[in-house]
Amino acid sequence: MSQTKFSTHPASDKVYYIISGFILTFILIAVSYPLIYVLSASFSSGNAVSSGQVLLWPVDFSLEGYEAVFKNKDILRAYGNTFLYTVLGTLVNVTVVMTCAYALSRPGLKGRGGFMFLFTFTMFFSGGLIPFYILMKDLHLINTMWVMVLPGALSVYNMIIARTFIQSSIPGELIEATSIDGCSDARFFFSFVLPLSKAVIAVITLFSAVGHWNAYFNALMYLNDRSLYPLQIILREILIMNQVDVSMIMDPELQVAKAQAAAVLKYSLIVVATLPILCVYPFIQKYFVKGVMIGSLKG
């Protein structure tokens, strides 16, 4: 397809394109600069960061921040906990969402409207924090890893997207044809629904994984054992409460440079904490638009 030259456009279009270009360029800089700064600061020396010498590129290239991150036992343990909560929680989320969405997509399900009303009701109203805490306590989930996995196992928002996707993408004739051949609901779900729903499963997986990776409120409320803390709690202590346990840094030189190491540790930990999600996103990005658009607009 041939592209129209900019000079041939009407004057009004040229003004629109120029203004749009400036605005988008400004937004790009505003969004990308903090990311570049954090990355550059993480590779700079503690002295350069604390003295404000880092503006765009690393100054006095150093890996001391990453050395401190991977020598801190609290951070490594929290990193492992976050991986466990993310993998286990995402698996539970996808399983519950897809099975519930498939059941609610079947027109023959008795009371389907009532179930949808109950699910939708919970999106706008909840029992409150104290009743929820009492519920977690009565279920003996307080101070266990399951308090990070089981609450919120079913996201109604994701379930509605998945249900709409199944209704829109899998024809009813296919269900009728397979049922005539004796195919059960369970076999149809595993043999047809799941293989044909890769796009929406990828979207739900991404939503759930990001949610679990960034989750800290449940840990803040329901976890007292520091060995169960996820990475976000440790990151919160360092970034918001400015608490860096330098005694956990084994290198004596880093203990001497305590303030500088703490400054670099913040930025290195931000990079380490966000890197896994940034690495996963490109592999499922191709499914993202398709899954969300079909699941949210059609039907």
Side-chain angles (χ1 to χ4, degrees):
M1 182 181 294
S2 62
Q3 295 183 349
T4 307
K5 292 184 178 179
F6 181 76
S7 58
T8 61
H9 284 282
S12 59
D13 286 355
K14 293 179 181 177
V15 173
Y16 172 77
Y17 291 142
I18 292 173
I19 294 176
S20 299
F22 275 113
I23 294 175
L24 292 176
T25 302
F26 175 77
I27 294 175
L28 176 64
I29 294 173
V31 171
S32 60
Y33 178 72
L35 301 177
I36 295 174
Y37 177 80
V38 169
L39 187 62
S40 298
S42 70
F43 286 106
S44 301
S45 67
N47 184 39
V49 174
S50 57
S51 61
Q53 298 179 39
V54 179
L55 294 177
L56 186 62
W57 305 113
V59 178
D60 298 335
F61 183 85
S62 172
L63 297 176
E64 64 184 76
Y66 292 98
E67 292 176 359
V69 166
F70 291 108
K71 285 181 179 177
N72 190 313
K73 294 180 180 178
D74 270 356
I75 294 176
L76 289 181
R77 183 170 55 234
Y79 212 87
N81 289 338
T82 299
F83 263 113
L84 177 63
Y85 301 153
T86 301
V87 172
L88 201 57
T90 302
L91 182 62
V92 171
N93 284 151
V94 173
T95 302
V96 175
V97 165
M98 289 306 297
T99 51
C100 185
Y102 171 63
L104 292 174
S105 70
R106 297 300 303 269
L109 177 68
K110 293 182 179 179
R112 188 172 67 152
F115 287 124
M116 278 307 302
F117 173 78
L118 291 176
F119 282 127
T120 308
F121 186 83
T122 62
M123 295 179 68
F124 302 100
F125 302 98
S126 66
L129 183 59
I130 295 176
F132 192 73
Y133 183 89
I134 294 174
L135 175 63
M136 294 296 105
K137 183 179 179 182
D138 290 344
L139 292 174
H140 304 289
L141 293 178
I142 299 294
N143 228 21
T144 67
M145 59 171 283
W146 297 108
V147 79
M148 298 295 294
V149 174
L150 295 181
L154 174 64
S155 166
V156 178
Y157 175 79
N158 290 344
M159 187 272 291
I160 292 175
I161 291 179
R163 185 210 60 174
T164 309
F165 183 93
I166 295 172
Q167 287 178 334
S168 306
S169 305
I170 301 176
E173 293 78 6
L174 181 60
I175 301 176
E176 295 174 0
T178 54
S179 63
I180 291 174
D181 293 335
C183 181
S184 64
D185 280 334
R187 184 174 180 183
F188 183 80
F189 176 72
F190 288 106
S191 301
F192 294 93
V193 175
L194 292 184
L196 295 175
S197 302
K198 291 179 181 175
V200 78
I201 290 176
V203 172
I204 294 171
T205 300
L206 178 63
F207 284 167
S208 302
V210 172
H212 282 287
W213 187 266
N214 293 325
Y216 75 94
F217 185 74
N218 279 6
L220 195 64
M221 292 297 301
Y222 308 120
L223 291 181
N224 299 317
D225 187 350
R226 193 173 179 82
S227 65
L228 295 174
Y229 278 1
L231 184 63
Q232 301 304 328
I233 293 294
I234 303 298
L235 186 61
R236 176 181 176 274
E237 290 180 353
I238 294 174
L239 293 181
I240 299 179
M241 303 175 67
N242 199 26
Q243 292 180 356
V244 179
D245 187 1
V246 293
S247 64
M248 300 300 295
I249 302 173
M250 303 304 295
D251 192 338
E253 293 182 0
L254 290 178
Q255 290 185 2
V256 174
K258 149 176 171 180
Q260 288 84 355
V264 176
L265 180 62
K266 295 178 184 177
Y267 298 110
S268 302
L269 187 55
I270 291 174
V271 174
V272 172
T274 55
L275 193 60
I277 295 297
L278 294 178
C279 292
V280 169
Y281 182 76
F283 294 100
I284 60 177
Q285 189 271 339
K286 61 181 179 181
Y287 300 109
F288 192 78
V289 175
K290 180 182 176 183
V292 171
M293 291 299 290
I294 295 178
S296 60
L297 296 181
K298 284 188 176 182

